Structure formats: C-alpha cells, structure tokens
Amino acid sequence: GENVEQHPSTLSVQEGDSAVIKCTYSDSASNYFPWYKQELGKRPQLIIDIRSNVGEKKDQRIAVTLNKTAKHFSLHITETQPEDSAVYFCAAGDSGYSTLTFGKGTMLLVSP
Amino acid sequence: DAEITQSPRHKITETGRQVTLACHQTWNHNNMFWYRQDLGHGLRLIHYSYGVQDTNKGEVSDGYSVSRSNTEDLPLTLESAASSQTSVYFCASSPEVGTDTQYFGPGTRLTVL
C-alpha cells in the first residue's frame, strides 16, 4: 500500500518568514495530493490540493509543488502569520479509489 | 446548510463494552470514511464505504466494524473496547469515486478506561 513520509515534524518560524513542508510518497499510482490544516481541537480542513497533471498550484500565500519523478510534493507558505499556526497534513491518493493515505503531520508555530 | 456531524463529541467507556460512534452527512455523498487520530501517527483509515451496503477495511480495521444502510450514515462500532482504542475519531465524506476532496466531521474523543 501507499506510504507517505512528512518532514519536518515541527517547524518554528518568525512572522513574515516562509515555511516549507515536504512529503514523499511510495505508490506511483497516486495522482491526487491534498494538504489539510488542523487547528487545535478542530477538524482537518482542506487548504490546497494538486493533481498529477500539474507541477505547481498557488492560492494567495500558499503554493504546492509536485515532482512525480521523485515522488515528492511540498507545501510553501509565504509571509507567515500567527494564524497560520496549526498542524498541517499532506496526503496521497489514487482517484480511482478515493482513499487517502496521510502523513504524520507537521506542527507549524509562527511567532509574532 | 449541508454538513457532516458526529455524535457523541466525547465518550468515556470501560474496557470490554461495545461502543457505537455516529456519523451523519447531509451532502448526499456516496463515499464515507472513518479515521482515528493519535499523536505521532497522523490520520489512519479504519473503514470506508462507497455507497449503501458497501464497506471496506482500511489500514487499522481490527476491532472495528461499520455498516451502511443508507447514504447519510456510517456508524462505527467497537465490538469490545480496548484501552488501545482511546483516540480521536474523525468521519469524512466525499461525493463519489474520482472526486477526492474529503470533508471532515468535528470528531469524537473516545476514552476507554
């Protein structure tokens, strides 16, 4: 089955800095890669996703890049703000089955 | 507004008891999923369903069962609760196979003493 590795497990940055979280996956059949943000005590919420037919996707301060050859994808957050502090999860899935395999999460702390 | 709900939000039970966690969605989504979340393990898939009368085992299905009698509900049953099943449980749904975005419920915190 699919295996998703996520690094780092914790990341501390100063407000205004950029943050990068990286994930690798093992199953070449995976073609859908979402990122979820989970605030303390809340449910995971989708913030951005990318499919295997594109290499990069941006949404305001958030971007995701995908390298299918190397089987890795990354989340980039620019101009970080304290409200970006949360746990971020990457996931990989095969749209033919609709199931997702999640990474173990990255706790991002943005200090004012 | 359409939504996905879980009940109860918090539950304390004893080892050996049967426990059922409810998940209800009003989006008319075909796919429903149950995950458990533990520190250091992220979200792990327990069971999932593609539609009425369909159920499938996920990565950590031992000790759990589900049934799908209608589109809206996918209850999760712990047949004989164990302390190792103390966790936060999330239900999720997505529209149909091939549309992958999953929408999560608010979670149920289960403690097994």
Side-chain angles (χ1 to χ4, degrees):
Chain A
E2 175 66 275
N3 182 51
V4 177
E5 299 283 341
Q6 182 171 347
H7 299 281
S9 56
T10 59
L11 179 60
S12 294
V13 300
Q14 293 291 319
E15 184 177 1
D17 288 349
S18 294
V20 181
I21 303 170
K22 299 181 179 181
C23 290
T24 61
Y25 63 99
S26 61
D27 190 346
S28 57
S30 290
N31 55 12
Y32 174 65
F33 307 92
W35 287 87
Y36 284 81
K37 176 183 180 181
Q38 186 179 28
E39 297 176 350
L40 188 63
K42 304 288 187 180
R43 73 189 77 188
Q45 292 195 305
L46 180 73
I47 55 171
I48 195 168
D49 56 13
I50 191 168
R51 298 185 185 274
S52 59
N53 57 344
V54 297
E56 184 176 4
K57 184 177 179 180
K58 290 183 179 180
D59 183 3
Q60 299 183 333
R61 297 186 295 109
I62 293 173
V64 58
T65 58
L66 171 65
N67 183 326
K68 281 211 70 180
T69 303
K71 295 198 186 79
H72 66 72
F73 56 112
S74 301
L75 178 70
H76 304 254
I77 306 174
T78 59
E79 300 173 19
T80 55
Q81 301 167 2
E83 51 265 39
D84 293 329
S85 296
V87 178
Y88 291 81
F89 293 97
C90 64
D94 179 343
S95 60
Y97 296 95
S98 291
T99 57
L100 295 173
T101 300
F102 285 82
K104 293 183 178 180
T106 296
M107 180 177 293
L108 174 65
L109 177 61
V110 181
S111 303
Chain B
D1 287 341
E3 61 179 353
I4 181 167
T5 59
Q6 294 183 234
S7 62
R9 296 294 313 279
H10 301 271
K11 173 79 175 177
I12 299 174
T13 190
E14 295 178 343
T15 301
R17 290 190 179 266
Q18 183 181 81
V19 177
T20 296
L21 309 182
C23 176
H24 179 79
Q25 52 96 5
T26 57
W27 285 309
N28 203 35
H29 284 173
N30 286 337
N31 303 335
M32 297 184 73
F33 310 85
W34 273 105
Y35 295 90
R36 61 178 288 173
Q37 184 174 37
D38 304 287
L39 196 62
H41 290 278
L43 292 153
R44 292 182 290 174
L45 184 63
I46 305 172
H47 282 287
Y48 58 101
S49 168
Y50 290 137
V52 176
Q53 302 302 330
D54 177 75
T55 61
N56 304 279
K57 294 181 178 181
E59 176 189 357
V60 290
S61 60
D62 288 348
Y64 303 95
S65 63
V66 293
S67 61
R68 188 90 180 270
S69 59
N70 58 53
T71 301
E72 297 79 17
D73 300 289
L74 186 70
L76 177 71
T77 297
L78 287 68
E79 302 293 344
S80 177
S83 57
S84 60
Q85 295 176 308
T86 293
S87 186
V88 179
Y89 291 86
F90 285 99
C91 177
S93 70
S94 67
E96 59 189 27
V97 173
T99 55
D100 313 281
T101 302
Q102 294 187 14
Y103 302 89
F104 283 80
T108 294
R109 182 175 295 277
L110 176 68
T111 302
V112 183
L113 301 176

